[in-house]
Amino acid sequence: DAEITQSPRHKITETGRQVTLACHQTWNHNNMFWYRQDLGHGLRLIHYSYGVQDTNKGEVSDGYSVSRSNTEDLPLTLESAASSQTSVYFCASSGLTSGRADTQYFGPGTRLTVL
Amino acid sequence: EDQVTQSPEALRLQEGESSSLNCSYTVSGLRGLFWYRQDPGKGPEFLFTLYSAGEEKEKERLKATLTKKESFLHITAPKPEDSATYLCAVYNDYKLSFGAGTTVTVRA
């Protein structure tokens, strides 16, 4: 069965360190997304990609970067981790359906703690 | 800017006690409204997509409806396994904007 996986599931790091969170999907979806989820804010979009070599900033992109070198993976990098980036991170993917809103399918999440 | 507001923030129900969750939205040209269920420690799980006012969709004890300004998720005769956080999101420009969610607790 097609799926979307994230690793690691839990990560503790120190302020200032570079951290990379992995996202891998086997749906063969063109679109991939990264969100963070914090109490009281719901899910907020960090970065997204509509295909290989395409990346775009979301509403909370400062301090994060992504790169898309193949269809299956969209790693999220925190350049210099800050305590404000302690959160739960979700990756999602969706396929292209012309003219209709396409459904996003979510991974299990990564809980990141920055000390 | 798209805005999505969900109410109430939390809802405690007795098993069998039906209720409704509200999702009000402002968006320039709604392309779709999504409902997701999220269990603790897990990612959101897709429930429904509604595309136009008047549309309704059902799945087991859940029924979602849509008007031009809001959507309702009706839970009929809930069971403890319906306990979860329910998220609403509007779709625009290939992206989703989420509300903060309603956490539903169903007591046996």
Side-chain angles (χ1 to χ4, degrees):
Chain A
D1 284 347
E3 61 177 355
I4 181 166
T5 57
Q6 295 183 236
S7 61
R9 294 295 314 280
H10 302 272
K11 174 79 175 178
I12 300 174
T13 191
E14 295 177 344
T15 302
R17 290 190 179 268
Q18 184 180 80
V19 177
T20 297
L21 308 182
C23 175
H24 179 79
Q25 53 98 1
T26 58
W27 293 93
N28 199 32
H29 284 161
N30 284 322
N31 306 330
M32 295 186 72
F33 308 83
W34 274 104
Y35 296 86
R36 60 178 289 174
Q37 187 173 40
D38 305 287
L39 280 174
H41 286 281
L43 285 155
R44 291 182 290 173
L45 185 63
I46 305 171
H47 280 286
Y48 56 101
S49 168
Y50 292 150
V52 176
Q53 302 301 328
D54 176 75
T55 60
N56 306 278
K57 295 181 178 180
E59 63 178 306
V60 290
S61 61
D62 288 348
Y64 303 94
S65 64
V66 294
S67 62
R68 187 92 180 268
S69 59
N70 58 51
T71 300
E72 296 80 16
D73 299 289
L74 187 70
L76 177 71
T77 298
L78 286 68
E79 306 293 347
S80 177
S83 58
S84 60
Q85 293 177 309
T86 292
S87 186
V88 181
Y89 292 85
F90 289 99
C91 180
S93 70
S94 68
L96 279 176
T97 53
S98 59
R100 297 279 267 188
D102 38 289
T103 300
Q104 291 186 20
Y105 296 93
F106 284 79
T110 294
R111 182 174 295 276
L112 176 68
T113 302
V114 182
L115 301 175
Chain B
E1 182 179 324
D2 301 341
Q3 288 194 329
V4 182
T5 303
Q6 292 188 246
S7 62
E9 291 184 12
L11 189 61
R12 293 176 64 86
L13 301 172
Q14 199 68 33
E15 184 172 4
E17 177 189 2
S18 301
S19 188
S20 296
L21 285 57
N22 177 265
C23 171
S24 62
Y25 63 89
T26 55
V27 63
S28 55
L30 180 69
R31 299 283 301 280
L33 186 139
F34 289 76
W35 283 98
Y36 285 84
R37 170 192 170 124
Q38 186 174 22
D39 293 305
K42 296 190 176 181
E45 175 187 346
F46 170 71
L47 290 173
F48 305 108
T49 310
L50 302 167
Y51 293 103
S52 57
E55 189 173 1
E56 299 181 350
K57 288 196 176 169
E58 288 188 66
K59 180 179 181 179
E60 296 182 355
R61 294 175 293 281
L62 301 177
K63 179 180 178 180
T65 62
L66 181 65
T67 72
K68 288 186 178 181
K69 293 184 179 181
E70 55 192 352
S71 177
F72 293 93
L73 184 65
H74 308 278
I75 309 178
T76 302
K79 297 182 177 182
E81 53 262 42
D82 294 322
S83 297
T85 296
Y86 292 87
L87 304 172
C88 167
V90 295
Y91 180 93
N92 190 22
D93 192 24
Y94 300 100
K95 300 188 296 291
L96 289 176
S97 297
F98 281 86
T102 294
T103 298
V104 175
T105 304
V106 183
R107 296 166 291 173

